[in-house]
Amino acid sequence: MSASLVRQQSGYYSLELETADLDALKSAILDRYGTPKTKRYPMLTVYRFGGCSFTFQHQWDDPCLIASSAEGDAILETLHGVLSGAD
C-alpha cells in the first residue's frame, strides 16, 4: 500500500491512494465507521461517515479522499495508519 497524506490549500488533508488501495480503504471505512452515505456528482462523490464529509475524486488513476474539517483530518490520519499498517 502506498497511501499518503497531503495538506491541501484549504488547510485540510487529502488521503492520496493508488487504485489498488481502494478495496482496503473501503474495508477500513466499513470496519470503523459503517456504511457511508454517498452523493454522486459527475466529477466527484461526497461521502459522509464518522460525522464528517469527504470529497472523493478518482481522475487519471489518482484517487484521493479529501477532508473538509479538522475532525475529518483526524479520520484521514486514522485511515492512513490503517492503510500503512500502523494500526
Side-chain angles (χ1 to χ4, degrees), residues 5-40:
L5 283 175
V6 177
R7 185 71 66 186
Q8 299 295 297
Q9 260 186 324
S10 66
Y12 300 118
Y13 280 132
S14 173
L15 180 61
E16 313 269 325
L17 309 156
E18 304 255 341
T19 300
D21 299 333
L22 290 175
D23 286 339
L25 175 63
K26 182 179 178 180
S27 292
I29 291 169
L30 289 171
D31 289 349
R32 283 158 183 76
Y33 306 102
T35 302
K37 294 182 180 181
T38 61
K39 186 161 186 180
R40 298 186 191 283

